[in-house]
Amino acid sequence: MEKKTILAIRPDFELTTKYISSWAKKVLDFAQEKEVVLFDLDKEKANRQELEAVISEQSPDFIFLNGHGDYDKVCGQNNECLVGVDDNEEILSGKVVYVLSCRSAGILGKKAVGKGALAYIGYTEDFIFLYDEKQKSFPLQDKIAELFLSPSNQVMFSLLGGDSPQKASQDSKKSFLANVKKLLTSEAPKEQKGIVRYLLWDRHHQACWEKKE
């Protein structure tokens, strides 16, 4: 059986990208456990030229894009546009794509599917996560950020485990909801109850667009 392949893009040039790229490493570790062939473009390698080269030469099954974004684009290192509407969205054709960025599922996701992407999972509005000031140097030890980034990662865990894009998105939304319920219990610290609305926001604005048969 032919092995699946994944391309991960992990810019890291300020606090937000440092956090999401650090947490994305958990997905890459899982991919290696599953013997998925991995192409990891991190930091300076998270640029458009490298992205297009790997897609062209390796044709990965899954693309996991992390970075800043807007309704019509996703950006990499130093906010270089990696994929944009009416620019190069057709490079996602034939791929299952998950984008952890703000807003890109708003317009880019639908356009990419219209140009042949098998599925595009992302967020139609801002992706919001909170963090613990005391853990800024150690993102993976940050229990506040984990409430957001672990459910977000669930999309890729489910996809790599063989689930459909719709199921992967549903699993992620269930994980966001489980964290909401955890924070609403009496054991949760009072100051954490304010986090609930942001978890619900991310859950509500996660979208999964799929190519029509």
Side-chain angles (χ1 to χ4, degrees):
M1 197 170 81
E2 199 175 332
K3 287 187 177 178
K4 294 284 187 185
T5 53
I6 178 174
L7 166 60
I9 293 85
R10 299 188 301 130
D12 179 354
F13 60 96
E14 32 76 280
L15 193 63
T16 297
T17 49
K18 176 182 179 177
Y19 261 81
I20 62 177
S21 292
S22 297
W23 277 87
K25 183 74 170 60
K26 287 185 174 283
V27 170
L28 308 193
D29 294 342
F30 182 74
Q32 289 179 313
E33 279 172 32
K34 290 280 181 187
E35 299 189 334
V36 174
V37 178
L38 170 64
F39 301 96
D40 180 23
L41 300 179
D42 69 335
K43 297 179 178 157
E44 280 70 29
K45 289 185 291 187
N47 65 61
R48 181 166 174 153
Q49 188 178 354
E50 295 261 8
L51 169 77
E52 291 183 342
V54 173
I55 292 175
S56 167
E57 292 161 19
Q58 308 296 340
S59 193
D61 300 291
F62 303 106
I63 297 179
F64 180 27
L65 269 161
N66 297 273
H68 290 290
D70 211 330
Y71 298 110
D72 59 351
K73 65 184 176 183
V74 182
C75 301
Q77 190 72 3
N78 300 322
N79 283 331
E80 177 190 9
C81 177
L82 299 179
V83 186
V85 167
D86 298 332
D87 181 2
N88 64 339
E89 68 269 45
E90 67 281 350
I91 65 169
L92 304 177
S93 179
K95 319 296 178 204
V96 174
V97 185
Y98 174 47
V99 180
L100 178 52
S101 82
C102 293
R103 305 179 184 168
S104 78
I107 298 173
L108 176 60
K110 291 180 181 177
K111 283 271 196 174
V113 168
K115 291 279 183 81
L118 298 180
Y120 189 108
I121 304 168
Y123 299 85
T124 55
E125 295 295 339
D126 287 350
F127 176 84
I128 296 171
F129 75 91
L130 306 183
Y131 61 90
D132 182 344
E133 279 283 342
K134 295 191 285 292
Q135 296 292 350
K136 281 196 301 192
S137 301
F138 308 98
L140 290 172
Q141 294 173 28
D142 189 331
K143 295 297 181 189
I144 301 293
E146 182 177 10
L147 291 165
F148 296 86
L149 296 173
S150 188
S152 164
N153 274 348
Q154 185 59 50
V155 172
M156 287 309 308
F157 289 140
S158 293
L159 287 173
L160 294 172
D163 288 326
S164 70
Q166 284 292 347
K167 172 78 163 52
S169 181
Q170 286 165 10
D171 288 348
S172 173
K173 289 182 176 186
K174 280 180 190 166
S175 186
F176 275 113
L177 206 52
N179 284 350
V180 166
K181 287 175 179 169
K182 195 162 60 178
L183 290 177
L184 292 176
T185 63
S186 53
E187 290 84 49
K190 261 195 192 131
E191 64 273 11
Q192 289 191 8
K193 298 208 189 292
I195 294 172
V196 165
R197 62 182 171 146
Y198 299 111
L199 290 168
L200 290 173
W201 169 276
D202 288 340
R203 178 182 184 273
H204 178 70
H205 291 290
Q206 188 187 106
C208 175
W209 312 124
E210 285 191 278
K211 190 179 175 187
K212 300 271 191 293
E213 291 303 323

